[in-house]
Amino acid sequence: MSRSVEVLAPGEHRLVTREVPEPGPGEVRVRVAAAGICLSDRELYEGHRAPGYVRYPVVPGHEWAGTVEAAGPGVDPALVGRPCVAEGFRSCGVCERCRHGETSLCTAGYAETGFTEPGAFADHLLVPARLLHPLPEGTDLRAAALLEPAAVVAAAVRAGRPRPGMRVAVVGAGTLGLLAVQLLAASSPAELTVVEPRSARREQALRHGASGVLEPKEAERDAYGRFDLVVETAGAPATAAGSCLLARRGGRVVLTGMFAAGAVGIDPVHLSVSQLEVRSVFGASSADWAEAVRAFGLGLLDPGPLVSHEFPLERFGEALALVGGGDPQTGKVLLLP
């Protein structure tokens, strides 16, 4: 039998037990080892996710790692037994954007594991084999569960095009921010500064490779116009506008945080006069996933220390309450089926 956490409607969930699912043509069945909970899962549960980006009832869980347990018709049976992760976006592979390699911009319509398709808060998960990224034998699957946010960070870093000797800032020191620090540190920046209001998170950023940290008020006073590249990860109301002010004239800004309606807009006069290059990131393409998996395999990314709590499926409600609860000691929360 196979258990899963099913969100029937906003604020309503249950643990259900069903027959172990059989993979169809082109699919694999994965035995989930660990699945991360993020703020978008809490938004899904509370009913705050835009209607086009969720389909109830749904099994959440888009950050996960596991082992291929069975292969459906047309799938290489050699995949069975391999540790793996998989892309969340169910891109079509044939539209213009997919053909250009921009699979996160697929125009065929939004479909994503854990939001519109059954996710990984479960013992087992079915995914298209074409989306798999196999991992080396002996991989720490607890750490690998964070490769989904790492792929988003890889998208941001690739968009930012860091070069050795750059002055780089990361705004926010949550999961995305700390992963960004790790990946950006590998580009040998002259300076890697993290802007973060919480002291515990600032200390953690230093442990993960930041060369300096600033509180937002310190950044406003001392660091505006300083950085060649700014990677925004917080999604707070003022961080998009503030990140553009941190960038030097002609600098680059990459926005990865998920902003809510009413966030402070970017000043168009500053944007044009300073000739800033601004990019946004939503999800990750196949190339971004491949980059994150490569960096993880090389040891450039070490997500394991970001995990602070682990819960069984039965304690989903307790685990979800920790996410976004405001405790700076809460890092990544995992469900372990």
Side-chain angles (χ1 to χ4, degrees):
M1 302 299 288
S2 183
R3 302 165 306 149
S4 60
V5 175
E6 189 175 76
V7 177
L8 304 173
E12 183 182 352
H13 77 278
R14 64 181 181 179
L15 185 68
V16 300
T17 301
R18 296 189 174 94
E19 295 292 331
V20 175
E22 290 298 324
E27 289 185 327
V28 297
R29 182 176 72 234
V30 173
R31 182 64 169 89
V32 179
I37 305 177
C38 82
L39 277 174
S40 57
D41 297 310
R42 183 159 179 170
E43 290 171 357
L44 177 155
Y45 187 75
E46 294 176 345
H48 298 153
R49 193 166 174 86
Y53 293 89
V54 64
R55 186 181 301 137
Y56 300 101
V58 64
V59 177
H62 60 286
E63 303 177 4
W64 60 269
T67 302
V68 178
E69 193 173 74
V75 177
D76 185 357
L79 286 171
V80 175
R82 289 293 302 273
C84 67
V85 291
E87 299 168 32
F89 285 155
R90 306 290 181 97
S91 56
C92 72
V94 296
C95 72
E96 182 182 15
R97 296 274 52 87
C98 284
R99 292 291 190 182
H100 279 80
E102 298 172 335
T103 53
S104 59
L105 295 175
C106 177
T107 59
Y110 172 76
E112 185 175 3
T113 300
F115 295 106
T116 64
E117 312 298 324
F121 294 171
D123 291 323
H124 299 92
L125 172 67
L126 297 181
V127 292
R130 63 185 176 84
L131 300 179
L132 282 185
H133 289 264
L135 301 171
E137 295 297 332
T139 291
D140 178 0
L141 293 177
R142 173 179 165 276
L146 276 71
L147 280 173
E148 192 278 340
V152 175
V153 166
V157 172
R158 293 178 72 232
R161 307 188 306 280
R163 297 191 307 274
M166 273 188 166
R167 297 186 303 274
V168 180
V170 174
V171 177
T175 298
L176 287 180
L178 294 174
L179 290 171
V181 167
Q182 291 186 16
L183 202 52
L184 287 163
S187 68
S188 300
E191 179 181 345
L192 180 52
T193 298
V194 171
V195 180
E196 164 61 48
R198 296 164 293 184
S199 60
R201 290 298 178 91
R202 291 196 300 272
E203 293 169 6
Q204 197 170 9
L206 291 171
R207 293 196 298 270
H208 282 269
S211 61
V213 292
L214 293 171
E215 296 181 32
K217 287 295 185 183
E218 292 176 320
E220 182 178 347
R221 184 185 67 231
D222 301 327
Y224 276 4
R226 176 174 179 79
F227 298 100
D228 303 300
L229 170 63
V230 181
V231 177
E232 188 282 329
T233 70
T239 52
S243 294
C244 290
L245 295 173
L246 287 168
R248 65 162 171 82
R249 292 170 62 85
R252 290 196 285 274
V253 178
V254 184
L255 306 176
T256 68
M258 292 300 295
F259 298 95
V264 178
I266 297 170
D267 180 0
V269 175
H270 175 76
L271 188 65
S272 59
V273 171
S274 298
Q275 299 183 56
L276 298 181
E277 179 183 339
V278 180
R279 282 285 307 274
S280 62
V281 168
F282 176 64
S285 70
S286 298
D288 301 325
W289 272 91
E291 180 71 9
V293 170
R294 182 194 68 85
F296 178 64
L298 291 172
L300 301 176
L301 278 173
D302 181 15
L306 276 62
V307 176
S308 63
H309 295 78
E310 301 174 357
F311 293 89
L313 289 179
E314 293 85 353
R315 295 171 64 187
F316 165 73
E318 184 181 346
L320 187 70
L322 283 175
V323 178
D327 185 350
Q329 300 301 323
T330 299
K332 177 55 65 176
V333 179
L334 296 183
L335 289 180
L336 304 180

